Amino acid sequence: MKANGKPKMRLAPILFLLASVVSACHPPYPTGADDELKPSPGGRLTARFFGVSTILLDDGNTAIITDGFFSRPGIGRLLFGEIAPDPDRIGWALQRGDVTKLSAVLTVHSHYDHAMDAPDVAHRWQAVVIGSPSTANIALGEGFPASCIRLIEHDRQEFTIGSFGVTAFRSLHSTGVPGGAAAEGTIDAPLRPPAGRTDYKEGGTFSFLIDNRRFRIIVHASTNYIPGMYAGVEADVVFLGIATLGKKSEAFASAYWREVVQTTKAKLVVPIHWDDFTIALDDRPLRPAPYPLEDFPRAMAMLRALAGKDVALRFMPLYAPVDIEAAAGLPPRARHNPLPAPSSCP
Ligand SMILES: [Zn+2]
């Protein structure tokens, strides 16, 4: 593995550069009206999507977010410079998504496109950061208080955040990411930004089962799995990471689908981690990560075949609230808890 890791690492910058050129002239993915969930602000439990695997869930009482990644540094900085949270971009996106409260940031792993902004986002509302010891070192390096970090220390560890129950599942990171080997491992000391892209080491990968009044959402951000990881677990919705899926075999895609979607009996699957996150967020649609880094059309073709008629496969709109219970086919429920949850980390 190490032997062919070296040429891949040298190839990675060239691939990234090529891809960014392709991406600049690449059209957004043509989602039809049937492919995208409709904004629906009145729901009891709303979800909002901000690209990669950043999803905000809000039931009126409590709001939580996965990753909270908004800085999206450009290709030049990623390859030849250093990166750091961008407070202006973070602030813009939070405002664009009408985020007014937050109790927790759940990080799926410690790569920069998941954990780099988490402390900045959490700090704005005295929210807690939940993640691995590596994510804790990102937070400490950014001056985030240790008392507001909740460590994930074992599989199926449970957290209660206001009206949400969260269970963290151990999983595996996707394979086949160009330059990925350089960002394996753990972050063993506080990481002070600016830092190199590969200083944000993976630190173990998790997915989350999020339960809100028995409506169950799985956020499974990285395109891989541990066989049997969801044994005995059921969910209404899966936010399914599909980065690198288009370059994988059909056998892998079916096994992935079986382990994460069929086992949990989810009836709605929302693809995530499909966009080119070297492009800043604005009011234009997201663009898929381009070939040769990804083969997005092939990934979608495989997913459509796997979903068939039994499972709805839908994209989230950007920033807009979606009544995620109605999207999963449940009858509308009224908002229950009008009072905001107290700050979880005073
Ligand atoms: Zn990653």
Side-chain angles (χ1 to χ4, degrees):
M1 179 139 180
K2 287 279 170 208
N4 41 14
K6 276 188 180 167
K8 269 186 194 161
M9 277 171 64
R10 280 199 297 271
L11 251 181
I14 302 166
L15 267 177
F16 268 116
L17 261 185
L18 254 177
S20 68
V21 173
V22 176
S23 186
C25 16
H26 201 67
Y29 182 62
T31 48
D34 292 344
D35 291 324
E36 194 168 286
L37 294 166
K38 301 259 183 304
S40 40
R44 186 194 72 82
L45 175 65
T46 56
R48 292 176 190 257
F49 178 59
F50 297 84
V52 199
S53 41
T54 291
I55 301 152
L56 178 86
L57 297 167
D58 182 357
D59 71 351
N61 171 264
T62 307
I64 61 175
I65 198 166
T66 50
D67 291 346
F69 173 61
F70 305 105
S71 290
R72 299 168 72 106
I75 198 76
R77 275 171 171 245
L78 286 175
L79 293 183
F80 308 114
E82 292 192 309
I83 56 175
D86 183 328
D88 292 340
R89 287 188 177 187
I90 294 170
W92 183 89
L94 290 168
Q95 200 168 32
R96 186 70 183 77
D98 288 328
V99 184
T100 55
K101 62 178 179 296
L102 191 67
S103 293
V105 184
L106 321 175
T107 52
V108 301
H109 59 266
S110 304
H111 284 156
Y112 83 93
D113 55 320
H114 300 278
M116 183 175 77
D117 294 345
D120 180 308
V121 172
H123 184 66
R124 293 173 189 236
W125 285 280
Q126 290 81 46
V128 294
V129 168
I130 296 178
S132 67
S134 292
T135 293
N137 274 324
I138 294 174
L140 294 172
E142 293 181 23
F144 190 78
S147 58
C148 301
I149 300 170
R150 305 283 177 268
L151 282 183
I152 305 175
E153 291 170 305
H154 60 83
D155 186 35
R156 299 202 177 201
Q157 189 171 336
E158 295 182 2
F159 301 87
T160 301
I161 303 140
S163 39
F164 288 87
V166 173
T167 310
F169 288 74
R170 271 201 189 284
S171 189
L172 292 174
H173 195 270
S174 56
T175 58
V177 181
E184 287 173 2
T186 52
I187 304 167
D188 299 322
L191 178 62
R192 185 188 289 262
R197 172 182 66 89
T198 55
D199 293 329
Y200 289 86
K201 310 237 178 258
E202 179 208 330
T205 288
F206 304 97
S207 62
F208 295 106
L209 172 70
I210 298 164
D211 188 316
N212 185 283
R213 288 181 66 216
R214 290 197 287 278
F215 186 78
R216 291 152 77 88
I217 295 168
I218 284 176
V219 179
H220 189 101
S222 212
T223 313
N224 208 343
Y225 61 91
I226 294 173
M229 63 183 284
Y230 291 123
V233 175
E234 291 192 9
D236 299 283
V237 181
V238 171
F239 286 91
L240 186 69
I242 64 164
T244 73
L245 184 65
K247 319 236 6 222
K248 300 267 193 294
S249 67
E250 285 187 11
F252 176 89
S254 329
Y256 185 45
W257 185 268
R258 188 182 62 240
E259 291 282 344
V260 185
V261 179
Q262 281 178 340
T263 299
T264 61
K265 302 190 175 80
K267 288 288 170 256
L268 171 64
V269 170
V270 180
I272 55 171
H273 212 328
W274 55 269
D275 50 307
D276 181 347
F277 51 85
T278 64
I279 302 174
L281 289 172
D282 55 23
D283 283 321
R284 291 169 298 175
L286 296 174
R287 287 158 191 266
Y291 201 82
L293 291 180
E294 296 282 357
D295 189 343
F296 181 71
R298 181 166 177 271
M300 288 312 299
M302 290 197 291
L303 289 173
R304 289 210 165 92
L306 289 162
K309 288 191 168 55
D310 296 336
V311 176
L313 186 64
R314 300 280 185 275
F315 288 89
M316 282 287 287
L318 251 186
Y319 317 126
V322 167
D323 178 340
I324 198 67
E325 291 184 313
L330 268 69
R333 289 200 273 180
R335 283 215 167 194
H336 218 63
N337 304 306
L339 294 175
S343 145
S344 39
C345 190

